[in-house]
Amino acid sequence: MLPSPSSKSLESWQTIAKRTQQHRDATLAAVEPPIPDLPELPLDSTPVPKTILTPEELSITESDPVDLLSKLSSGNLSSATVTNAFLRRATLAQKLVNCITELMPQAALERAAYLDAYLKEHGKPIGPLHGLPISIKEMINVKDHTCNAGFISWSDRIATSNAHILDILLAAGCVLYARTTQPQTLMHLETSSNYFGTTHNPFNRNLTSGGSSGGEGALLGMRGSCLGIGTDIGGSIRSPAANNGLWGLRPTSNRLPMQGMTATMLSAEHILAVIGPLSTSLAGVKVFMKTLIDAQPWIREPSLVPLPWKTESQFPIKGGNKTLKIGVLTDDGVVRPHPPVLRALTSLASKLASVPGVEVVPFTPLKHDLAWSIISSLYFADGGAEEKAAIAASGEPWRPLSNFILKENPNVKSLSIAGMWDLTAKRDAYREEYAAHWRESGIDVLFCPVGPGAAPPIDCARYWGYTAQWNLLDYPALIAPVSKVLADDVVDKGYVPRNEQDRYNHELYSPEKYVNAPVSVQVVGRRYEDEKVVEAMEYVQEKLGLPWAKYV
Amino acid sequence: MLPSPSSKSLESWQTIAKRTQQHRDATLAAVEPPIPDLPELPLDSTPVPKTILTPEELSITESDPVDLLSKLSSGNLSSATVTNAFLRRATLAQKLVNCITELMPQAALERAAYLDAYLKEHGKPIGPLHGLPISIKEMINVKDHTCNAGFISWSDRIATSNAHILDILLAAGCVLYARTTQPQTLMHLETSSNYFGTTHNPFNRNLTSGGSSGGEGALLGMRGSCLGIGTDIGGSIRSPAANNGLWGLRPTSNRLPMQGMTATMLSAEHILAVIGPLSTSLAGVKVFMKTLIDAQPWIREPSLVPLPWKTESQFPIKGGNKTLKIGVLTDDGVVRPHPPVLRALTSLASKLASVPGVEVVPFTPLKHDLAWSIISSLYFADGGAEEKAAIAASGEPWRPLSNFILKENPNVKSLSIAGMWDLTAKRDAYREEYAAHWRESGIDVLFCPVGPGAAPPIDCARYWGYTAQWNLLDYPALIAPVSKVLADDVVDKGYVPRNEQDRYNHELYSPEKYVNAPVSVQVVGRRYEDEKVVEAMEYVQEKLGLPWAKYV
């Protein structure tokens, strides 16, 4: 329940935050049977569920979402059972890693019961995602619920309708049961706000879950969800996917519905945010994309492009093998990735080279530092005025990474219209130059790091280059878990950093600090070749048996 | 040859204009056999060619471009013969209606000879447009030629490479032989500059040829070209197509290559300019679209969408007939069209209703006045500063319609970044509202006016609403010639204008002033449904025998 505006104006940001946490806790308390409080929070949270949940709950929540869909649509599992298992595990995840803004047990279980009854009555599922519980990042509007983009001053904003994407997923049979944390301003590659504090990495609580869709990342990393919705304007789907050993896709812009978000800069066109899936399987990513695009969202939302989701192979077959030319970029020339990332990519490249039909070539970066200077200025073409006003309005403190991206970032400038057009022209020239560079390389897809290391320690995610690069170019980019930090990924003590960012990153790392962190790769394709990126990784997974390990 | 900068800075705008005209005249004088000067310029220029050109030249230049292509690719006609016929007729068109900035007889005839030799040597055409002469608007870059966007101060700008579209069309076999006039600023629906003065309408020299691709319009109207390239950000392909009895398509944005234009506001994304064809036949429009899209221009130009040009029918067939639901909008509720437009649309609607499988329904306009206020502000988000500076730099006078659109237009305001984002949000809300309105109507395509009358008298094209509407929505829009102004299209003397714009338009008209002017319709489709729009008109033409009359 919301206070009236007059009473609200007297409230401190602390009071608002407290009330928001109390609301969250009340929604957790309504989950049955209750999850006990934990006496102590371990470094690695991932073994905890098996000490608390039932074998059936463990089995359900650790299933591939596509296997769940098969059991749900045939009636072998009820949506009520599946939904309650995820509600229970999400409650536990919140207690361990602080990733939930609210659960919706009552509405979710009512919806699940409706779907179970539907299946019984009609003898067929309501749609391709019949009965599947999904989680969503808080900024994606849910009718009659608050949407605050991580700003305390926006605490009284109530969505008057569902986001378009949510309408389609519900029509396809999903059950919405959890909303997840996000950072102040939404412009961090971590998740830290004055509403809820910090979201932690399930594998190592000293590390970040990533961001800005870091509540999704941590929840899925804990297997408190198997399919969630994030958004990405600089890495916000991919950083949480990578940090938590998940699959995640930043699709090309204007393929998935964007109507109904709560955020700053919503009408800025110079750099487009995208929405996309995080999942515990690649099949989960695929079914998400196909279901949404098959619904022809461009009819309601005319900014979208009516490109069907292609199901035919995007690669020629020769001698029974798909032929793929894969580029490998290990280092963007600005900040060198940590040893585990270099080792994982190098090892992957050598394995790939042994797959029949696959050709592996090195790929040279092209001015990735220029790309960052363009995109980080275009993000905040108003000089960050909208974010600064939204923070100032409540008197809440600046979180460290808000400060980093808005105040310490030398590219944040208040532009004139002419200045913005100039910068847009630079962006387009760079895009055309990169298109020519890609064409000359002849590659189909590119394998590269997701960041300059595995999940960094809290408040240290200060280099966006490996993800923001593909936002500037608007290339689709898929995250795949391939390894973890190993004890023998030792520090390169002789390394001489190239610049201040490189030095900062180099000094962050030791295998001890990063222990247990997942290591992922990013698979990038040309603009609108989302299907090609997914298919390439699917083929690689089939041939090499990735990811590195099963979750359990 | 260009003067050195030091000498140029001493030149008056009149001197620059004079030299530009002398260059143009020299290129005309190189065409053989020469076209005589005309003692007198008649009101209707269209009968003049048959008094000057040979029967073969008349036959070639009055052919459907697709018939020409068939003869060119089989060797029944040589490209040299065809090119020279168009060079001769273009020379005559220039003398009659003032539509040419330069001809390229030597380069064109050398290219034609090369193509003729290629066909002889290889026994097959070089590409799908083998040997076909095409004309282009001046702003589309031609390597080593000047490109001035209608500003005297830009007279020394030389393109360092061809526009992307030109490269593709040349690779497909085209011959470039003519460049055509455009207005100062490019932001008129007429064609008037201080380089060349006014371009006239071939059917009635007191009327405008339209603009800003009005040189193309007049040249094709005179049959001095059969296929030309224009651009459109508010009606600049469609107004010249309609005013000159031609076919023209404003495609959805990002389907055809845009690299290599000379204009102001090139990086503005809020309203995207598009490039597209004007032709003497609908088949010419189709072959242009298909050739360009089949070349996969998105590889070089990553802002383009990789949507193939669909050749399969976009309409279901029932009982041997295509089923189409056609909306008809006769009046946008802001400015009522003149009697010939209302009569032509009403008559067309009643004929359409008799075609089996076609359902005709009225379509209600939705806030078209709001649309104009949004788009005309977004055009000039910098308050028109770039245009004003480009005019001021040479001291050239403001042409009347530059004054109208930039100085008299109350929506021209210098916006802040936040102001621009606000207006972009209004644009998007309007687009979504219109998408819902269209969906509710259930129509496939919409037939509506191209403007509030046929081609208006010179300097009187002051209402953009009927074309700019579809730029704001980014809907594809095809122009089809359907009638002409008739003596019994009398003034509605009892009409009470709704507003000042409506009064101005109402008072412009009399059947005497507009005598002989073509009357056209606009066929509009949903975003990216370019193929549907073309196919709908093709079907209507097949069933109703449009256009109203053959040119000769």
Side-chain angles (χ1 to χ4, degrees), chain A residues 259 265 267-270 299-307 379-382 386 415-418 420-421 424-425 427-428 431-432 435 439 526-528, chain B residues 259 265 267-270 299-307 379-382 386 415-418 420-421 424-425 427-428 431-432 435 439 526-528:
Chain A
Q259 263 179 14
M265 308 183 293
S267 302
E269 299 184 281
H270 357 294
I299 301 292
R300 169 168 157 189
E301 197 171 326
S303 55
L304 306 181
V305 175
L307 275 170
Y379 283 144
F380 307 107
D382 66 347
E386 201 175 352
L415 301 175
S416 65
I417 296 290
M420 218 239 333
W421 287 346
T424 307
R427 180 201 69 185
D428 290 348
R431 285 176 173 173
E432 288 170 12
R439 185 171 72 243
R526 232 194 276 255
R527 197 160 179 243
Y528 292 112
Chain B
Q259 265 180 13
M265 308 183 295
S267 303
E269 299 185 280
H270 356 294
I299 301 293
R300 170 168 156 188
E301 196 171 327
S303 55
L304 305 181
V305 175
L307 275 171
Y379 284 143
F380 306 107
D382 66 347
E386 202 175 352
L415 301 175
S416 65
I417 295 290
M420 219 244 328
W421 288 345
T424 307
R427 179 201 68 184
D428 290 348
R431 285 176 173 174
E432 289 169 12
R439 186 171 71 243
R526 234 194 274 255
R527 196 159 179 244
Y528 292 112

Side-chain angles (χ1 to χ4, degrees), chain B residues 14-215:
Chain B
Q14 292 94 336
T15 304
I16 296 170
K18 183 85 182 161
R19 191 176 55 248
T20 310
Q21 290 167 28
Q22 284 166 344
H23 166 73
R24 175 201 62 200
D25 293 345
T27 68
L28 262 69
V31 172
E32 292 288 344
I35 296 288
D37 281 337
L38 301 165
E40 204 179 333
L41 298 174
L43 188 72
D44 181 1
S45 303
T46 59
V48 178
K50 71 175 67 70
T51 68
I52 292 180
L53 302 179
T54 68
E56 187 189 29
E57 285 168 342
L58 290 168
S59 161
I60 287 170
T61 52
E62 291 169 14
S63 293
D64 187 308
V66 169
D67 293 339
L68 282 181
L69 281 171
S70 155
K71 290 177 181 157
L72 284 161
S73 65
S74 61
N76 286 336
L77 269 176
S78 76
S79 181
T81 301
V82 172
T83 300
N84 207 61
F86 278 108
L87 279 165
R88 292 246 301 150
R89 194 155 181 155
T91 304
L92 179 57
Q94 167 56 28
K95 291 176 191 271
L96 284 161
V97 294
N98 192 30
C99 55
I100 297 291
T101 68
E102 62 175 342
L103 294 179
M104 297 141 106
Q106 190 185 341
L109 290 170
E110 280 171 11
R111 164 105 179 127
Y114 166 79
L115 293 167
D116 289 335
Y118 182 98
L119 185 69
K120 192 167 279 179
E121 186 185 338
H122 295 84
K124 60 174 189 184
I126 202 164
L129 302 180
H130 183 94
L132 190 73
I134 54 163
S135 52
I136 64 175
K137 190 177 184 180
E138 201 268 357
M139 67 175 290
I140 299 161
N141 292 353
V142 180
K143 187 171 188 301
D144 298 332
H145 287 247
T146 57
C147 274
N148 59 45
F151 297 114
I152 299 282
S153 64
W154 291 15
S155 68
D156 56 355
R157 298 196 177 191
I158 310 279
T160 54
S161 56
N162 283 342
H164 186 187
I165 195 168
L166 186 54
D167 276 346
I168 297 175
L169 291 173
L170 291 175
C174 285
V175 175
L176 176 63
Y177 71 106
R179 300 177 71 210
T180 56
T181 53
Q182 60 196 10
Q184 182 188 49
T185 77
L186 300 171
M187 295 299 282
H188 304 188
L189 291 184
E190 302 200 13
T191 297
S192 141
S193 76
N194 291 314
Y195 280 110
F196 301 110
T198 298
T199 302
H200 296 266
N201 191 303
F203 297 85
N204 178 336
R205 66 180 302 101
N206 296 330
L207 306 179
T208 176
S209 69
S212 64
S213 314

Side-chain angles (χ1 to χ4, degrees), chain A residues 377-514:
Chain A
S377 189
L378 281 174
Y379 283 144
F380 307 107
D382 66 347
E386 201 175 352
E387 290 75 17
K388 290 171 185 170
I391 293 174
S394 71
E396 66 174 309
W398 280 64
R399 306 296 296 193
L401 292 184
S402 305
N403 209 60
F404 159 73
I405 197 69
L406 279 156
K407 290 186 174 171
E408 295 171 20
N409 177 354
N411 300 314
V412 175
K413 287 172 197 140
S414 177
L415 301 175
S416 65
I417 296 290
M420 218 239 333
W421 287 346
D422 282 350
L423 202 54
T424 307
K426 286 200 182 75
R427 180 201 69 185
D428 290 348
Y430 181 74
R431 285 176 173 173
E432 288 170 12
E433 197 181 346
Y434 215 96
H437 181 64
W438 185 288
R439 185 171 72 243
E440 281 153 22
S441 78
I443 63 170
D444 291 301
V445 295
L446 177 67
F447 280 66
C448 61
V450 192
I458 304 289
D459 289 337
C460 295
R462 288 168 179 255
Y463 186 69
W464 295 31
Y466 284 98
T467 45
Q469 176 69 26
W470 314 115
N471 295 86
L472 182 67
L473 295 174
D474 194 24
Y475 286 9
L478 175 74
I479 303 307
V482 292
S483 184
K484 59 188 288 191
V485 173
L486 304 174
D488 54 4
D489 290 324
V490 295
V491 174
D492 178 358
K493 289 192 176 151
Y495 183 67
V496 181
R498 302 158 177 160
N499 53 51
E500 187 48 36
Q501 288 171 298
D502 196 29
R503 187 196 59 73
Y504 179 87
N505 186 62
H506 178 67
E507 292 177 359
L508 272 185
Y509 179 71
S510 77
E512 298 75 25
K513 264 199 286 182
Y514 280 71

